[in-house]
Amino acid sequence: MADKILGLERVEVASDAGAVCIVRCLQGTVSVGDIFHAGKRRDSDEAVSFELTVESIWRYGQPVEFVDAPHGAKVRFLGASAGGLGGCSQIADGDL
């Protein structure tokens, strides 16, 4: 079960190495360095697996160490599977 869940509002940049996304924290407190392993597809509720690390978080244009529910932020993720985030509605640190 997931302790931390982010809703993906928009993917601004995505590549094979990383992604920058606008997110809303739906559950828990997400911090720089956290690792996300699971996602839910936007169009089918299909589960997907990956490994993405939170590299940085910005709120109101300022870098911060964490974001908690129900707040939004811009987050930069690092990981080889970041290019696939565009099709996800939620990502989590465990099973969704």
Side-chain angles (χ1 to χ4, degrees):
M1 193 65 167
D3 292 322
K4 302 171 186 182
I5 300 174
L6 291 174
L8 296 179
E9 303 288 329
R10 183 173 73 238
V11 177
E12 292 191 336
V13 177
S15 71
D16 290 340
V20 176
C21 304
I22 304 300
V23 303
R24 176 147 325 271
C25 187
L26 302 176
Q27 181 175 305
T29 300
V30 175
S31 301
V32 172
D34 285 350
I35 299 173
F36 285 79
H37 299 284
K40 185 185 292 184
R41 291 267 176 226
R42 188 174 310 280
D43 55 358
S44 68
D45 280 345
E46 173 190 354
V48 293
S49 296
F50 46 73
E51 185 166 318
L52 298 173
T53 302
V54 176
E55 180 191 46
S56 55
I57 303 170
W58 299 277
R59 293 197 68 221
Y60 303 107
Q62 300 295 315
V64 296
E65 290 299 312
F66 68 90
V67 61
D68 55 358
H71 304 290
K74 182 183 281 192
V75 177
R76 176 165 171 74
F77 296 99
L78 295 179
S81 51
L85 281 177
C88 290
S89 62
Q90 295 179 0
I91 61 172
D93 65 342
D95 293 334
L96 282 169

